[in-house]
Amino acid sequence: MKILVTAAGSYGDVAPYTGLGARLQEAGHTVALAADASYAPLVRAAGLEFRALPADPRRAQGGAPGGQRELMRRAAAFVRELGPGIADAAAQGADLLLLSATTAPLGRHAAEAMGIPSLDLPLQPNAPTGDFPPVVAGTRSLGRWGNRAAGRLSLRVVDRLYADGVRDLRARLGLPPVPAGALRRRRNADRRTVLHGVSPALVPRPSDWRPGLELVGNWWPYTAPDAALPPALEDFLAAGPPPVFVGFGSMGAGARDDGTAARLTANVVAALRRAGVRGVIQSGWAGLGGPGGGDGLEDGDGPEGGTGSGAGDDILTVGEVPHALLFPRTAAVVHHAGAGTTAAALRAGVPAVPVPVTADQPFWAARLAAVGAGTGPVPFRALAEGEGAPDLLAAAVTRAVREPAYRAAALGVARRMAAEDGAGEVVKAVEGEG
């Protein structure tokens, strides 16, 4: 089949689908992946056709003031841009659409207009359940009834966020208007399969999910067989004991402008040194280690790749590097608890220090603690602004590195993950669709 995968958002929202697409191509299918233009090299490196989506996730996140209302306004504008892009990508030809959580509320309408099947492939366990509250609603359980009610409410919030984009897209595709509630009832009634790229070793399958809602294991970003870490990073790793990795991914997109990057970098460097460990700091969207980023660190060439150097022999700043190659060689991973980075650290059998910021990140931080592979969370705001931030992070890093129970728990989860084949389960489902 000719398969179109659509994904939008941060690196962690897109990269797992490159490995999945490569696996589908190995099975004999032709795969295109539609994403923001900044991911074109990543997609093509996996041997997939790239199709561009116009919406820029960095602009949707932004760094401007305005609070939650402004964030929702930006997100809704992002969605309205995204719809026509998905339609244009699908119009280039596809026998099947594979949809991420971000693109599914729009992509289903493109599939309807084209008369082809679609399959939802979210990276979060986002169907309502009594076992835990919605992944974007914090970590405090509301009881089984309350958790399920909150899960249904969260889906209605998504409906409202996508309402204008869905209305515009259906009109563009020549489809009749349908109220959001009617669309959800129709989708729930069809009992279609939804495959979640989540390891049941980290999140047990909810006991009250209907048949067809499955946790199949993670999909991993494509890593070329001959991929290697940059020479400067290899030299750094060889020069001393395993370092602690620090990276916050797509968090803090506006940090370069308001000085947060400088404070955050300075606090991270101070914490690593107080903990007595070497460090690899990933610049990410916040630009950690950039000019004025603290302690004389040089810029690491941004999130697309490359390496910079620190003021001393104990700290190195890097751009985007394959987690699959780096994480197994670290002593611990300090990260924002995004779904992909959380899974990558566990896959490597490495303990974590979660620094959750927003959305589903507190959920993954709590799951790390539940399986014993992560310390308690360090608040991102405290790390970026608090005077005691270096001591707070240093204490957590020390626990993760020095207390063997964390690594033992991470290794236990890694062994279970190694027995899973999330991509293989998608291949089976796709060929069933065909």
Side-chain angles (χ1 to χ4, degrees):
M1 286 184 290
K2 192 169 188 177
I3 298 170
L4 173 63
V5 184
T6 63
S10 69
Y11 178 90
D13 297 317
V14 176
Y17 298 98
T18 61
L20 177 60
R23 183 70 175 274
L24 287 163
Q25 289 209 147
E26 289 175 11
H29 305 287
T30 301
V31 181
L33 198 160
D36 172 72
S38 64
Y39 299 111
L42 189 73
V43 172
R44 292 180 178 131
L48 311 178
E49 177 193 345
F50 175 75
R51 299 182 186 176
L53 296 180
D56 181 353
R58 298 195 197 203
R59 193 168 67 249
Q61 186 191 75
Q68 191 66 22
R69 179 172 295 183
E70 172 64 13
L71 186 62
M72 292 296 287
R73 187 194 68 77
R74 287 173 179 241
F78 172 75
V79 165
R80 293 186 78 170
E81 278 189 276
L82 192 57
I86 292 173
D88 290 344
Q92 297 175 49
D95 302 315
L96 171 68
L97 298 187
L98 302 184
L99 307 171
S100 74
T102 309
T103 61
L106 299 162
R108 296 186 198 107
H109 304 284
E112 178 185 344
M114 295 174 64
I116 62 173
S118 66
L119 177 63
D120 286 12
L121 300 176
L123 299 173
Q124 298 84 13
N126 51 16
T129 174
D131 288 6
F132 46 78
V135 298
V136 295
T139 58
R140 187 171 68 88
S141 177
L142 304 173
R144 297 198 63 82
W145 183 90
N147 289 341
R148 280 192 293 269
R152 291 190 291 269
L153 176 62
S154 72
L155 295 182
R156 288 196 289 273
V157 171
V158 172
D159 286 342
R160 287 197 292 272
L161 177 64
Y162 279 79
D164 290 345
V166 167
R167 183 193 63 240
D168 294 350
L169 179 58
R170 288 185 69 85
R172 175 191 175 103
L173 295 171
L175 298 172
V178 181
L183 286 171
R184 186 166 298 283
R185 287 192 295 272
R186 180 196 302 176
R187 188 167 65 256
N188 289 342
D190 67 17
R191 317 296 286 181
R192 292 194 307 170
T193 295
V194 178
L195 302 183
H196 300 77
V198 176
S199 172
L202 182 58
V203 182
R205 183 183 183 277
S207 56
D208 54 357
W209 272 8
R210 64 166 175 83
L213 298 178
E214 304 299 337
L215 303 177
V216 298
N218 293 89
W219 310 306
W220 305 108
Y222 176 78
T223 303
D226 60 348
L229 296 174
L233 180 53
E234 280 288 357
D235 291 345
F236 181 79
L237 293 170
V244 170
F245 171 92
V246 181
F248 303 120
S250 61
M251 294 300 100
R256 296 172 187 261
D257 300 325
D258 67 8
T260 301
R263 294 189 300 274
L264 188 57
T265 303
N267 285 338
V268 165
V269 170
L272 294 174
R273 290 178 173 161
R274 289 179 195 182
V277 297
R278 304 195 313 145
V280 172
I281 300 177
Q282 187 172 58
S283 54
W285 286 15
L288 301 187
D295 208 57
L297 293 175
E298 298 172 8
D299 195 353
D301 293 341
E304 282 69 41
T307 60
S309 60
D313 294 336
D314 60 335
I315 304 289
L316 183 76
T317 310
V318 300
E320 193 64 61
V321 295
H323 290 167
L325 299 183
L326 176 58
F327 283 4
R329 301 171 68 180
T330 63
V333 175
V334 179
H335 61 77
H336 61 299
T341 312
T342 298
L346 287 170
R347 183 192 193 193
V350 176
V353 177
V355 186
V357 184
T358 187
D360 60 335
Q361 295 159 17
F363 172 83
W364 296 112
R367 290 311 308 161
L368 281 168
V371 300
T375 68
V378 176
F380 182 84
R381 183 177 295 277
L383 189 58
E385 300 176 4
E387 291 184 3
D391 289 334
L392 189 65
L393 181 58
V397 167
T398 299
R399 290 197 303 275
V401 172
R402 311 294 182 203
E403 297 179 19
Y406 290 113
R407 181 170 288 269
L411 287 169
V413 175
R415 284 191 290 270
R416 293 178 60 189
M417 283 182 159
E420 299 167 355
D421 185 10
E425 293 300 315
V426 176
V427 172
K428 291 177 187 176
V430 161
E431 294 179 347
E433 291 278 358

